[in-house]
Amino acid sequence: MSRPVLLVIAHGSRDPRHAATVHALVQQVRSLRPGLRIETGFLDFNIPSVRGVLESLAAVGVRDVVALPLLLTRAFHAKADIPAVLREAPARLRIRQAEVLGPSPLLLSALDRRLYEAGLTPADKSSTGVVLASAGSTDPEAIAVIAEIAREWRHTGWCAVRPAFASASLPRTEDAVRLLRALGCERVAVAPYVLASGFLPDRIARGAAGADVLADVLGPAPEVARVLLDRYEAARAPLRAVVGA
């Protein structure tokens, strides 16, 4: 039996940088797994839509799909929007929804990568405070996860790590930058814990004006691509056991 199709589900945005980054990340995943069929669908703003991709897959005889939310936390989209869309899929499709990408040690490695690309080195860790700047959420579970990631990342050697949020929650990026200054960190860096450029990452960048270093979004980092494949394999494992794939 052939492997299930991997359907990457992105939120979508009016900002063209968002879709461009999503496609670059998916291309990175394809480079790691050339034999795997990977499709991309968007919940809003961009095409193809998730519904359209699912209908197209059913029309060509695809049976099994792993739907992977391109999200870093289990907030509203993962809990409500995406399951609702998947429930409306053609009946012939057997769909498993994979877990969101975070948290994962690989994502911490991707954050380190982006900070090093922005000019820091491993030797700077002990004297550098880092703002872990996420998009923000009204979901308490998602907020708690970001706080736990910050604590875990701190244990890898950074002077201090503080979470910040571009919307819905506090503190803001600029507040966390000031806090790290007050703690006496020699330098302050801002690491966007977001996958693609857009309105909220731009807000993070503005809040990082008082920092010494601003890293890029995670985007098509190799570590992020590896997390996608890990989530895909974990989601298809029960299906593989049932059908003997």
Side-chain angles (χ1 to χ4, degrees):
M1 178 181 172
S2 61
R3 286 175 292 183
V5 172
L6 170 56
L7 171 58
V8 176
I9 301 179
H11 182 271
S13 171
R14 292 187 178 90
D15 189 321
R17 295 174 297 169
H18 174 88
T21 305
V22 170
H23 290 309
L25 173 57
V26 170
Q27 191 56 43
Q28 180 76 262
V29 178
R30 288 194 178 104
S31 72
L32 294 176
R33 195 68 61 85
L36 176 62
R37 179 172 180 177
I38 307 174
E39 302 290 342
T40 307
F42 296 89
L43 291 174
D44 208 352
F45 302 116
N46 302 104
I47 55 173
S49 68
V50 175
R51 184 175 290 104
V53 174
L54 291 170
E55 290 173 353
S56 296
L57 290 173
V60 297
V62 168
R63 170 67 169 149
D64 295 309
V65 177
V66 169
L68 194 155
L70 199 59
L71 301 168
L72 294 171
T73 59
R74 270 183 49 78
F76 183 78
H77 295 305
K79 295 176 180 178
D81 285 353
I82 291 175
V85 172
L86 297 181
R87 283 194 295 270
E88 297 173 357
R92 69 160 282 111
L93 292 177
R94 181 165 52 184
I95 303 173
R96 301 191 73 91
Q97 182 176 329
E99 289 295 327
V100 297
L101 303 186
S104 166
L106 284 170
L107 294 179
L108 295 183
S109 296
L111 289 165
D112 282 341
R113 172 190 292 274
R114 292 303 188 226
L115 285 171
Y116 297 153
E117 290 171 349
L120 294 178
T121 70
D124 296 322
K125 272 193 165 186
S126 62
S127 57
T128 302
V130 182
V131 178
L132 179 68
S134 78
S137 174
T138 56
D139 188 308
E141 178 187 350
I143 298 303
V145 167
I146 298 300
E148 179 58 32
I149 291 170
R151 286 190 290 270
E152 182 179 346
W153 200 21
R154 162 68 181 84
H155 293 316
T156 67
W158 295 103
C159 172
V161 179
R162 293 291 185 272
F165 306 94
S167 68
S169 308
L170 295 174
R172 295 286 183 256
T173 302
E174 52 269 34
D175 300 325
V177 169
R178 285 193 291 267
L179 173 61
L180 290 171
R181 293 281 188 213
L183 288 175
C185 296
E186 186 176 314
R187 67 184 64 80
V188 175
V190 173
Y193 190 62
V194 293
L195 287 168
S197 299
F199 174 74
L200 292 178
D202 285 349
R203 181 179 289 177
I204 289 171
R206 290 193 296 272
D212 302 294
V213 174
L214 171 62
D216 199 358
V217 298
L218 293 173
E223 297 86 354
V224 179
R226 287 167 55 198
V227 176
L228 262 73
L229 288 173
D230 287 348
R231 298 293 185 256
Y232 168 79
E233 291 297 341
R236 73 179 284 252
L239 188 152
R240 186 167 63 242
V242 170
V243 300

